[in-house]
Every structure is written in structure tokens, then in C-alpha cells.
Amino acid sequence: KDVQKEREPHVYLSKEEVKEKIQSYNSSVTDKLKMTLNANGIYTGFIKVQMELCRPITVQSSQSQGRCAPSNQETAFYLPDGCVNTLHISSTNTVREVIEALLKKFFVADNPAKFALYKRCHKEDQVYTCKLSDREHPLYLRLVAGPKTEMLSFVLREHETGEVMWEAFSIPELQNFLRILDKEENDQLQILKNRYAAYRGKLEEALRGVLKPG
């Protein structure tokens, strides 16, 4: 169930309360992805983000990394559904910064504004998915919920809902989409040709058996 709601109020914890929660969190961790409290009160840790993207992403090649302008060395492809990535962040990092870091980590050239981070949680035997505001702090949400992804998990999706806003994409991105569609069309056409060729072969074999002089 997808729900839209206002940002939940951030409860400001004292340094001692944060320390106690981190100790409790680390005692429950089973994958060694623990949190660390620094002397300045900022803590660091890990979050896992599941990718649920419906449209292709544009990835820079090694030759075009670091360039600002669109390059022919960019490739668009569909990311496998359910792909999970792990990020090391701090308690000061916002949702927008997490999205930018996630895209940068995998050299995604698409505009970060096209994406949104969602939280998925279980309440009363139901699963709720809620879009987070850009200013929320994912690591704080992770700390409060505990390390179990069954209680809270993060999901990256396209920001737009409903009709696709094609005008938000650059010309190289649109050209890449067309190339992908052409490839998919050719692949499907080849599958159909192979299927009918197999049928034709079986029919011809059957006919030879019927017409064979007995």
C-alpha cells in the first residue's frame, strides 16, 4: 500500500540517548553493518536501498566520467528489479544527499531530481510505502527502527507518478530510450521468427512422414 503523508516530526535526542540507541542497535546487528558515534555527536552507519526503477537509467562509461556535458559514452539500460545497494552515510545526510550519493556511486548520469526515496514499513500486518521528504535523515530513521529490514527498508523509485514527463529528459536520454526500444522490438521479432520456423519444421517433418511411400 503506497501512502503519501507529511514528514514525520524529527525527535531530537540527547547525545546520551543517541549513545544508548546505537548500543542497542549494534547489539541487534547480524550483518556487521554497525553504527559509530563520533565525539561531535554525529554518528555514521549503513543503509540498504532497494532499486525499483521502471525506466532505463543512463550510466557514464569510464571515458566520460567527470564530464558535465552529455557524452556519446553514456549507455542506457534497465536495472534488474530488486537490486539492493549499501551506502555508508552519516546522521547529517539528507534524503536528497543520499539519492545523489547513490547515483554517483554507480555513475548514473540522470538528474537526481527524477528520483525519490521511499520508506517501506510493516504496521498491523500490512506493508506501507511512503515517500520521504528531501530533508529527512535516513540514518536517523534506520536507528529508530532498528536494524531489521522487515521493520523498515528504503526504496529508490522514479520521482514522477502517473504519466511520464518526457520533456524532463535530455535528447541523449531520449535517443538511448529509442535505441533500447528498437533492440527490444528486434529481439521480440527474432523470437517470433524462431518460433514459427520451429513450427514450420515440425509440419514439414510430419508431411514427409505422411507422404512417404509405404
Side-chain angles (χ1 to χ4, degrees):
K1 182 178 179 181
D2 287 359
V3 294
Q4 297 283 347
K5 64 178 183 178
E6 295 296 326
R7 180 166 62 97
E8 294 182 354
H10 187 109
V11 179
Y12 290 94
L13 305 174
S14 66
K15 187 174 180 178
E16 190 60 36
E17 288 173 325
V18 170
K19 182 179 179 180
E20 291 176 0
K21 282 190 173 294
I22 290 178
Q23 289 175 343
S24 175
Y25 182 98
N26 289 342
S27 66
S28 302
V29 166
T30 57
D31 54 10
K32 298 183 180 180
L33 300 180
K34 297 184 177 183
M35 294 194 186
T36 302
L37 178 62
N38 300 316
N40 59 4
I42 297 175
Y43 51 96
T44 59
F46 299 85
I47 62 169
K48 295 181 179 180
V49 181
Q50 183 171 340
M51 316 291 275
E52 292 185 356
L53 305 179
C54 299
R55 298 192 294 275
I57 58 173
T58 304
V59 178
Q60 296 176 334
S61 69
S62 57
Q63 290 85 357
S64 62
Q65 290 164 15
R67 298 178 183 175
C68 297
S71 168
N72 292 332
Q73 300 299 325
E74 294 177 350
T75 304
F77 67 93
Y78 285 96
L79 197 66
D81 191 30
C83 177
V84 177
N85 294 294
T86 302
L87 283 179
H88 185 251
I89 62 174
S90 80
S91 56
T92 62
N93 289 133
T94 63
V95 164
R96 180 51 46 190
E97 290 171 335
V98 166
I99 293 174
E100 292 173 354
L102 185 62
L103 299 181
K104 183 178 180 180
K105 179 179 179 181
F106 295 96
F107 307 111
V108 177
D110 298 88
N111 189 339
K114 296 177 183 177
F115 303 92
L117 192 67
Y118 290 74
K119 69 174 181 179
R120 182 176 290 156
C121 54
H122 292 250
K123 291 183 179 180
E124 300 177 355
D125 298 327
Q126 292 192 43
V127 179
Y128 293 87
T129 303
C130 174
K131 184 169 71 174
L132 298 172
S133 79
D134 286 349
R135 295 185 178 182
E136 289 193 76
H137 298 84
L139 194 61
Y140 168 80
L141 298 176
R142 179 79 278 160
L143 176 63
V144 172
K148 294 184 179 179
T149 55
E150 294 82 4
M151 298 302 297
L152 173 73
S153 59
F154 296 104
V155 180
L156 184 73
R157 294 178 177 176
E158 286 88 357
H159 191 277
E160 297 86 6
T161 58
E163 192 69 24
V164 177
M165 300 174 62
W166 294 112
E167 62 273 14
F169 292 85
S170 67
I171 291 178
E173 287 176 320
L174 294 173
Q175 290 173 337
N176 276 327
F177 294 162
L178 288 175
R179 282 194 288 270
I180 290 174
L181 289 176
D182 288 340
K183 183 179 184 303
E184 290 181 346
E185 181 181 3
N186 291 332
D187 290 345
Q188 292 299 318
L189 184 60
Q190 189 60 48
I191 290 173
L192 286 174
K193 287 182 177 179
N194 293 340
R195 182 185 301 170
Y196 283 104
Y199 290 159
R200 184 180 295 106
K202 291 180 180 179
L203 286 172
E204 291 174 349
E205 183 179 352
L207 283 171
R208 286 195 296 270
V210 171
L211 299 176
K212 185 178 181 181

